[in-house]
Amino acid sequence: MKIIGGKELMKQEEKDKIKIKLCGMMRPSDIETANLLHPDYIGLVFAKNSRRYVSLERAKTLKELLHPEILAVGVFVDEEPETVAALLSADVIDLAQLHGKEGEAYISGLRKLTGKPIIKAFSVRDETDIERACECSADFVLLDAGDGGTGMAFDRGLLVGMNRPYFLAGGLDASNVGDAVKRWQPYAVDVSSGIETDGLKDAGKMQAFVERVRCSM
């Protein structure tokens, strides 16, 4: 039996840990709660048609308040790649999440402007969407239902076709994320509406979600 040393054990635990993304941060109080809970990622939405939209100035303020070990993901919908790259270069965000119709040509063009990681979101309706996600050249893929942030879930049975690590989103909250983590073992879980009350982030729900994920590992 091989005995794993302290450093090796810590590395293995970090590798096996399912990561957490709390998306749709809008207020300083949201960031304060996130800093206490220490998820791996928070999400800032730059899509202007979203009720969770944050302006550039608000995003800068929120990023300045964010614990330096938590990564900020910028969520975009068919934004000009130069705009996305500029926010990455300015360290307003650490990763870009593409939630629109961005295809391989867009991803390739964005890579010419930045070396920062790219997440491509897919709205999952059938096996074809899973196949597209598996073949995507983005650093990470995220699987969601609809346009994201709706609180709706897709048919999780389709996940049997996934052959790469992925962010699992769509309809997750503290009541069901534990079962989802145990059954599907995603790379990360992503939540927004599931940690809200009356359209705003709820500190109690945020804590419950994070604790449920960590207790399920």
Side-chain angles (χ1 to χ4, degrees):
M1 178 178 177
K2 183 178 180 181
I3 298 176
I4 301 176
K7 290 184 179 179
E8 289 77 11
L9 180 59
M10 289 177 65
K11 288 179 180 178
Q12 184 63 38
E13 289 176 345
E14 180 65 25
K15 179 181 178 182
D16 293 341
K17 185 183 78 167
I18 292 175
K19 300 184 183 301
I20 301 170
K21 175 169 170 270
L22 304 179
C23 200
M25 304 288 106
M26 295 184 289
R27 304 171 297 170
S29 60
D30 300 338
I31 300 299
E32 291 170 8
T33 301
N35 287 341
L36 292 173
L37 298 174
H38 212 92
D40 302 277
Y41 309 92
I42 61 97
L44 302 174
V45 179
F46 292 93
K48 292 184 179 179
N49 63 344
S50 171
R51 63 178 177 82
R52 301 182 182 96
Y53 167 76
V54 293
S55 66
L56 174 58
E57 291 307 314
R58 174 57 64 90
K60 288 180 177 178
T61 298
L62 297 178
K63 181 63 185 303
E64 289 172 357
L65 295 172
L66 186 65
H67 191 288
E69 292 182 358
I70 303 173
L71 299 178
V73 179
V75 180
F76 303 92
V77 176
D78 301 321
E79 182 59 82
E80 292 295 329
E82 291 79 10
T83 300
V84 177
L87 289 170
L88 289 163
S89 297
D91 292 326
V92 177
I93 54 174
D94 304 296
L95 300 87
Q97 179 176 317
L98 310 177
H99 230 292
K101 297 179 181 178
E102 306 91 352
E104 288 298 315
Y106 183 103
I107 294 172
S108 177
L110 183 56
R111 287 200 188 283
K112 294 177 182 178
L113 301 174
T114 178
K116 298 288 183 68
I118 299 169
I119 305 169
K120 174 57 184 159
F122 289 85
S123 177
V124 178
R125 298 176 180 83
D126 55 37
E127 293 88 347
T128 303
D129 299 313
I130 295 294
E131 292 172 2
R132 290 172 52 236
C134 290
E135 295 170 358
C136 180
S137 67
D139 300 278
F140 303 99
V141 295
L142 181 148
L143 306 180
D144 206 341
D147 295 325
T150 63
M152 302 296 291
F154 61 89
D155 178 5
R156 300 273 165 75
L158 295 169
L159 291 172
V160 297
M162 283 300 294
N163 60 14
R164 64 180 291 181
Y166 59 92
F167 284 70
L168 177 61
L172 295 175
D173 57 32
S175 72
N176 60 27
V177 70
D179 289 339
V181 164
K182 290 177 181 178
R183 181 171 184 183
W184 301 110
Q185 293 291 305
Y187 168 79
V189 289
D190 185 312
V191 64
S192 189
S193 60
I195 50 173
E196 292 178 346
T197 298
D198 297 329
L200 295 173
K201 292 296 180 284
D202 181 311
K205 289 183 178 180
M206 292 168 71
Q207 180 177 353
F209 184 90
V210 170
E211 289 179 349
R212 192 62 58 86
V213 175
R214 289 175 177 158
C215 288
S216 301
M217 295 179 192

